[in-house]
Amino acid sequence: RALETLPEGYPRTDRPAPDFQLVNQSGETLTLESLRGRPVLLTFAYAHCQTICPVIVRTVSYAAERLGDLQPAVVVVTLDPWRDTPSSLPNLTRSWKLDQLPRTHVLSGEVADVQAVLEAYEVPSDRELSTGEITHPALVYLLDPEGTIAYTFNNPSAEWLVDASRRVSRSG
């Protein structure tokens, strides 16, 4: 997908983003509430994924770099809290090259806490117990500065994320 723009009629939502309390790569407890005041690009990925996760993390980080003036927070919640434990997050953040982006949080926590977040955000996933592989969509939520889900995407282009973020910032 080349540099296409987000269609003007792309559906905008206004569902309150469910808050959560998970641990980031610095060992700090992060809540969504603490990110209010700026747009948030929220996605879901896991370290062992060799297919869509590296792509969606790169797309979100590229969009955030392009939005430097708007300073969005980038939040990546693990889909695999069994293996992506809080102690593994610093290495994961580096391997995804997210350590070079300001306001970036890679999150994990207790399995039940992470699963509750995935449920609250309606992230469909299926974990193959024998391999640990997880089938999932490339979901990205754009939250406006007030903590409302403004847009929901499945495998968006970076350009769409940039356009949507600018729209949210203008209207907010």
Side-chain angles (χ1 to χ4, degrees):
R1 287 183 291 209
L3 296 175
E4 77 235 18
T5 56
L6 181 67
E8 280 306 317
Y10 193 90
R12 183 119 182 217
T13 57
D14 64 353
R15 190 177 104 195
D19 203 1
F20 52 74
Q21 191 171 340
L22 294 174
V23 178
N24 73 10
Q25 69 274 15
S26 301
E28 303 160 341
T29 298
L30 184 83
T31 63
L32 196 55
E33 179 69 32
S34 68
L35 299 175
R36 290 267 167 94
R38 71 176 71 254
V40 176
L41 291 167
L42 172 66
T43 193
F44 308 88
Y46 70 106
H48 290 81
C49 180
Q50 300 301 311
T51 55
I52 194 66
C53 292
V55 173
I56 202 65
V57 168
R58 243 187 334 271
T59 299
V60 168
S61 64
Y62 179 67
E65 286 170 14
R66 299 236 352 255
L67 286 161
D69 53 328
L70 298 178
Q71 303 180 327
V74 171
V75 177
V76 182
V77 176
T78 184
L79 290 159
D80 188 3
W82 298 272
R83 294 184 289 184
D84 297 345
T85 60
S87 64
S88 73
L89 297 180
N91 285 336
L92 181 54
T93 304
R94 280 191 295 281
S95 73
W96 281 339
K97 296 180 176 53
L98 293 175
D99 55 329
Q100 299 157 24
L101 268 181
R103 290 168 298 286
T104 298
H105 304 276
V106 179
L107 302 178
S108 187
E110 296 295 324
V111 170
D113 294 342
V114 173
Q115 286 181 314
V117 172
L118 299 177
E119 238 172 73
Y121 280 89
E122 300 173 359
V123 180
S125 64
D126 185 38
R127 184 168 189 257
E128 173 56 52
L129 293 178
S130 63
T131 64
E133 291 303 305
I134 299 169
T135 305
H136 64 93
L139 276 181
V140 179
Y141 287 104
L142 173 61
L143 313 182
D144 70 17
E146 288 74 50
T148 300
I149 298 172
Y151 291 99
T152 303
F153 299 103
N154 187 3
N155 198 21
S157 66
E159 190 61 38
W160 278 27
L161 295 176
V162 167
D163 283 356
S165 298
R166 288 189 173 136
R167 288 180 197 179
V168 161
S169 294
R170 277 196 305 268
S171 66

